[in-house]
Amino acid sequence: MPQRRWLHLHNTWQDVQVRKLCELQLQPSILQEISEEHNLEPQPPLPKYIHPSDELILEDELQRIKLEGAIEVQQLVTGTILAVYGCEQDDGKFLVEDHCFANLPPSLPWKGPSADRFVLLVSGLGLGSGSGESLLGTQLLVDVVTGQLGAEGGQSCAANISRVLLAGNLLSQNTQSRDTINKAKYLTKKTQAASVEAVKMLDEILLQLCTSVPVDVMPGEFDPTNYTLPQQPLHRCMLPLASAYATLHLVTNPYQADIDGVRFLGTSGQNISDIFKYSSMDDYLEILEWTLRAGHISPTAPDTLGCYPFYKSDPFILTTCPHVYFCGNAPRFQSKLLQGDEGQRVLLVTVPAFSATQTACLVNLRDLSCQPISFSGFGAEDDDGDMEVGH
Amino acid sequence: MEDELYLENIDEFVTDQNRIVTYKWLSYTLGVHVNQAKQMLYDYVERKRKENSGAQLHVTYLVAGSLVQNGHTCHKVAVVREDKLEAMKSKLATIASVHVYSVQKALLKDSAPLYNTDYDIVKTNLHNCSKFSAIQCAAAVPRAPAEVPQAQRASAQAGSRAPSDAGAGSAPVVNGHAPSAAKQTSQQPKGIMEMFAAKAASKGHDANKETKTESKEAPGVSAASSKPPAKSSIMNNFFGKAAMNKLKVNSVPEKPKEEKEVVKPSVPVAEPESSSNVVVEKPGKKTESVKSQQKDKKSKMKRVDKSDNEEEREPENLKKKRKRIKQLESDSSDEEDIPPSPTPEEEKAPSPPPVPALKAELEPVPTEVSAGGRKRKRKRVLKSKMFIDEEEGCMVTEKVYESESCTDSGDDFTESKPPPPQKQPVLPAKKEPKEEKKNVKKGPAAGSRANKQVSIMGFFQKK
């Protein structure tokens, strides 16, 4: 669609495609945070930063205009690119009659396998959390994948797992505490960061996995790598045992790969959770689908999500439609096979955080189906609560 | 016969040592395949229960299966206590596997001790954690450290995983338990398959991939056999472009093609020949797990050898370099650790070949040298040589007669291995041509190599 400057539109019905901006009342502002002289309390972190008085502003390189009309303010986030159909009113606002997104980009040719091949998607291992609840689950996961658990039927099925993808948050949020900064030096002399022990544990787990299956490791929000998107791969010196194996692949976040002819694209979840915070959409799967339709992995970057200041081209724009589009660290497992207008077929998967749900996802590459697989041990209570763990 | 031994071992672990014996722990401790370990535990429990000896045994089981929840199938893998086993089995729509997870004397309140046992044993065996597992991955070979940064550049390599089935003849265990393993494992499928085959048959579920793969096992093999020839050409293409740049955010051109088949021992010979192209630096993939393990060992040995050779070569080079420097600086570098003893060996090794060549030059050389105005006399000098005796780990000082040139350019050859004196005449004779050669080569350079014993003024006289 050709982009037109709406400068020139007066009382006409035109298609316009420009960037959009939302003004949010509750958006955390750094200026407010540091205004200590006003004795303002720092804003508490809210789960959602939406407010009824939020406004939508359409913006291009030259100017901006407020939008109203048949458009849902709470649904959209800053940075969305869309087309609006309407006319400019006398008071300077644009009355929207209809709007649409870029919709699904063209799909890649299908080169998937003809036999059953599986990719195991796991995220949020959360090592170093200090609580050992998920450790048995993690060990069971490794044992299933490496073919130690299960009878022969299960083992030969596990042998069809051609890749394990760890989508972020390998370390727990607890490793991020920086108490040592607040404490006196003499108290913290011999202490080491919690992430050191956690990374050692990660190394051992990865070693067990790598001896048996190729593993792709994506960093996440709490992992020792840079904060801004795109996050760089974890450095191999942190994983001395596992990085000796060629089957270990340390990859970026977001990550795109062709696994057995199937195009995977996904993130560790920061983009989706950021959109979750700034829009009224509650369902991670819905948000995931929305980003696909909007044609951009992370529209809120760099506004509310840290991102490298790309200025020549935006690598997060979706130019082709992947076959599997996933996000990690979701609150629960969801999956959906989306059919596009031009025959695209995308499997959307929200991978739940393993530390909370003990659930991983098995994607069958042959028919793009996905099933959760959950692990459990037994506890002192040992009631039916175990069964509800993964759903 | 050997079965009895194992059972006794397990008995000892459980009752006498009061351990929690998990299948993994048993597998590592006894050095057996995991499936065999599970079968052994099962046998043990059966026997003990039959004997009714009164010793309380608590068993935990692993149950894996699928159930339909919220409209889609979920797989569950759970470790349950014996008393909850039936309850769990009834909850699952299809049961993929049930086997003994652990045996212990005490009743476990929760599964944390199980985890601890496994964690400890895995930690002590980190480097061969896949040795006894049912799935082998031919691509998972540890790289020598030097190759690691290079490998970072290359794109993902194709791996191939073949489940080393414990059933029907293929002997997964390398350490000599092969015959008994085959026997055990042929019993084991009967035992365990009985448990779930009945259930799976009755509660067949189309969407369940476990049953699918089981039923597909037989026809799957013939399909698999036709696959490898087709895929070998793809593999070749892949490795033609093996050295590509690594990931960017946008485009990660990964093209791993992995072959997996459900293993039967009759898996075709086509496998090895297709797999010979598979991995650039790794050995061909074998589906027979014995072979794969042996190959892995070989490859590991290959790697070890390679690295060993590298290591050996390096000190040699260093020694050679140091030797040259040492000659230039003569006694000043006496404190160096380099045992002079190996170096004369090296020297001798190259020396015989050049010796015949040199001999022809010998005649003219000395005359040239002497005519050159530099008066060089050969003198036998009693010198005390210090070197490190590797066998005894001490420094040895010996007084040795060395022939050396009395001018500054005398080559202080480190001939002082402790050779018996009768060897001395041989050595000097051999040395002479070498020395001459070295003298010729290093005449001017050696000038500055002050032979302290002679006179430091010799240095200035040279100039």
Side-chain angles (χ1 to χ4, degrees), chain A residues 257-272:
Chain A
D258 279 320
I259 300 177
D260 278 346
V262 177
R263 171 66 65 96
F264 275 70
L265 172 65
T267 63
S268 300
Q270 291 111 313
N271 54 331
I272 307 296

Side-chain angles (χ1 to χ4, degrees), chain A residues 44-65:
Chain A
L46 295 172
K48 279 212 180 275
Y49 291 99
I50 51 179
H51 194 269
S53 65
D54 291 337
E55 292 174 329
L56 275 181
I57 296 174
L58 194 63
E59 180 184 86
D60 72 348
E61 297 102 345
L62 298 178
Q63 54 216 303
R64 40 165 73 180
I65 192 168

Side-chain angles (χ1 to χ4, degrees), chain B residues 214-225:
Chain B
E214 279 162 22
S215 59
K216 260 170 79 174
E217 262 182 50
V221 177
S222 45
S225 57

Side-chain angles (χ1 to χ4, degrees), chain A residues 148 161 163 212 244 256, chain B residues 38 143 161 250 252 256 258:
Chain A
Q148 301 193 11
I161 295 178
R163 192 71 71 103
S212 176
Q256 179 173 279
Chain B
K38 293 169 201 165
R143 298 186 281 236
R161 298 174 75 218
N250 278 342
V252 179
E258 283 145 358

